[in-house]
Amino acid sequence: MNNASIKALRPLAVAVAAAALAFAAQAGEVEVLHWWTSGGEAKAAVALKGTLQAKGHSWKDFAVAGGGGDSAMTVLKSRVVSGNAPAAAQIKGPSLQEWAQEGVLANMDELAKAEKWDESLPKVVSDIMKYQGHYIAAPVNVHRVNWLWVNPEALKKAGAKAPTTWDEFFVAADALKKAGIVPLAHGGQNWQDFTSFEAVALGLGGVDFYRKALVQLDPATLKSPTMEKVLSTFRRLKDYTDRNAPGRDWNLATAMVIKGEAGMQIMGDWAKGEFVAAGKTAGKDFLCLPAPGTAKSFTFNIDSFAFFKLKSEPNQKAQRDLASAIMSPDFQELFNLNKGSIPVRMGMKMDKFDDCARASAKDFADSAKSATLVPSIAHGMAVPSAAEGAIKDVVSQFWNSDKMSTAQAMDRLVAAAKQR
Ligand code: GAL
């Protein structure tokens, strides 16, 4: 290369160097708290990490294992109290309001306005993401909770039919038991117990009962003949779980269905992430059915990230880039293909998604129209966290102790619902 061409290239080199410097100066770090550590969950978390890294920032993983996020929330509280909040944390539902009230969350309105979040999200979702009208969080997905996961091979061996009502469920469960297969894969942890409980409540009681009892916490509905029936049916499930259920993680319960050791599991569609991560195909290796009696309704659980106030400017930029990445259509597709959920952004193409996800997307839209869309209390969508915790404790105590009568359980539910 002669001197003239070197000279000609000089401005370009200067520009490239300046751009690199600016990039380095702006590159920040985001520390992200989440509890996505199972096979499918971790794959989804990697999608988020990769999207952020592609923008030149670094990702500091703050994963706290434990399905349902109870341990993650305990750790988050101590971090925030000691003045060391992460950039973003997986926080959902009414808890977002509770955190915002503490004055620790950042206002994301500027970005939300520039990117038209209001127009991209269903209003029922954007309302949850705002505190006093200002965005403080961004949603990644919609999980459906009222699913029954079925191993069709196991049902075939037992000569059983996939159940659509609770009566049919017990018929199938008896047949599986007879065939030496664990009918219901379960993990005895508060949130898993409650995931089954709310499915029974919705299936037997219907949408109005569910709303009155588990969203409005109406004492007369919490203590009613329908609740009595729900509790006793819920208790019957226990006979169809195995001896090792107490304390078992949800993904290990899903693995039992994947392997055919168990026939069915009641769980949200993060379970599908496990089937998919294990190379299984929907409709062939496993079936996703609405939990018995709940075909026309949809219990939703929306994962979202709340953004904490940060001091460093590059980190604030990285935080905004994370929020922007979360809301981008490409990310929403990639993430949800792995997570088992569906994109929360409206107008997304579903051609890469399987039948379970497509059914979920259709049922989400239909149930929103027919007002049969209900928030999951097991997954922090329905009531303030203190009441939720107390109600979950009662349901798990009832599950674990055969001595507690349904009448006692109902009195305790009424008392627990008053916790604030
Ligand atoms: C839920 C969460 C899901 C899923 C599940 C099990 O509460 O919303 O994303 O990961 O816990 O960990």
Side-chain angles (χ1 to χ4, degrees):
M1 210 182 265
N2 61 30
N3 268 353
S5 50
I6 290 175
K7 255 193 187 163
L9 282 178
R10 221 172 264 154
L12 179 67
V14 170
V16 169
L21 260 181
F23 192 62
Q26 279 176 6
E29 178 190 81
V30 283
E31 187 179 22
V32 184
L33 175 121
H34 61 94
W35 62 87
W36 291 331
T37 54
S38 78
E41 288 179 332
K43 275 178 114 184
V46 165
L48 184 56
K49 179 177 169 182
T51 312
L52 182 86
Q53 284 172 333
K55 297 198 176 208
H57 301 297
S58 52
W59 165 281
K60 194 169 170 199
D61 202 42
F62 185 3
V64 180
D70 291 342
S71 314
M73 287 304 105
T74 309
V75 176
L76 178 64
K77 274 177 203 145
S78 67
R79 278 282 300 267
V80 178
V81 166
S82 62
N84 187 18
Q90 197 186 338
I91 301 177
K92 309 185 292 182
S95 288
L96 285 167
Q97 309 301 314
E98 294 170 15
W99 280 100
Q101 268 160 27
E102 299 295 319
V104 290
L105 298 185
N107 181 324
M108 307 302 279
D109 281 352
E110 218 179 284
L111 178 71
K113 204 164 169 218
E115 296 191 339
K116 301 196 165 52
W117 289 8
D118 272 347
E119 288 86 331
S120 316
L121 296 171
K123 190 167 179 311
V124 53
V125 178
S126 56
D127 283 350
I128 303 174
M129 303 301 136
K130 291 179 187 173
Y131 174 63
Q132 296 181 340
H134 304 293
Y135 275 102
I136 39 101
V140 290
N141 63 2
V142 180
H143 270 303
R144 185 181 197 176
V145 185
N146 55 320
W147 282 117
L148 181 74
W149 304 93
V150 171
N151 182 315
E153 237 350 87
L155 278 195
K156 208 169 145 203
K157 265 191 209 152
K161 197 172 119 254
T164 59
T165 63
W166 282 107
D167 285 343
E168 287 177 14
F169 173 90
F170 289 109
V171 173
D174 280 329
L176 284 160
K177 206 179 203 178
K178 249 198 204 143
I181 300 167
V182 178
L184 185 64
H186 184 65
Q189 297 172 345
N190 272 15
W191 70 273
Q192 292 189 66
D193 297 342
F194 211 93
T195 299
S196 300
F197 175 74
E198 70 180 25
V200 177
L202 186 62
L204 286 181
V207 170
D208 288 346
F209 167 80
Y210 182 99
R211 271 211 195 102
K212 271 196 197 143
L214 299 180
V215 183
Q216 292 153 14
L217 304 178
D218 169 48
T221 316
L222 285 169
K223 193 177 175 176
S224 62
T226 308
M227 183 55 90
E228 217 275 306
K229 196 169 158 212
V230 167
L231 282 164
S232 41
T233 306
F234 168 63
R235 180 172 263 168
R236 274 178 74 195
L237 294 180
K238 204 174 158 187
D239 272 350
Y240 299 95
T241 63
D242 66 327
R243 210 185 299 139
N244 297 324
R248 176 189 284 134
D249 287 329
W250 67 272
N251 52 317
L252 300 181
T254 308
M256 292 168 68
V257 182
I258 293 176
K259 290 186 216 142
E261 290 166 14
M264 306 181 276
Q265 182 186 18
I266 300 163
M267 188 51 63
D269 44 22
W270 45 94
K272 200 188 76 190
E274 297 303 296
F275 284 101
V276 171
K280 303 294 179 191
T281 306
K284 182 172 142 266
D285 305 313
F286 67 95
L287 308 179
C288 51
L289 307 172
T294 70
K296 293 214 159 51
S297 38
F298 190 115
T299 316
F300 69 87
N301 169 24
I302 293 164
D303 284 315
S304 50
F305 283 94
F307 303 101
F308 283 85
K309 285 181 181 159
L310 298 176
K311 289 203 183 88
S312 135
E313 233 176 73
N315 289 355
Q316 286 175 4
K317 163 93 172 64
Q319 184 185 51
R320 279 195 301 277
D321 283 352
L322 175 73
S324 168
I326 284 176
M327 287 294 294
S328 71
D330 285 353
F331 166 76
Q332 293 254 331
E333 180 180 86
L334 181 63
F335 178 85
N336 287 300
L337 283 170
N338 287 301
K339 189 71 172 69
S341 36
I342 55 170
V344 64
R345 258 190 95 103
M346 294 187 293
M348 293 272 304
K349 276 208 243 117
M350 293 297 290
D351 49 336
K352 293 204 183 121
F353 286 84
D354 62 18
D355 291 349
C356 303
R358 284 189 206 168
S360 177
K362 184 181 179 302
D363 292 349
F364 183 67
D366 289 353
S367 59
K369 268 186 223 136
S370 59
T372 53
L373 187 61
V374 292
S376 164
I377 182 166
H379 295 281
M381 290 284 119
V383 297
S385 55
E388 179 190 317
I391 291 174
K392 277 182 177 164
D393 283 348
V394 174
V395 165
S396 286
Q397 282 158 11
F398 176 74
W399 175 263
N400 289 320
S401 151
D402 293 339
K403 289 200 192 101
M404 195 192 293
S405 68
T406 49
Q408 280 168 330
M410 288 192 288
D411 284 338
R412 290 195 197 179
L413 280 177
V414 172
K418 292 190 185 128
Q419 294 282 323
R420 287 294 177 270

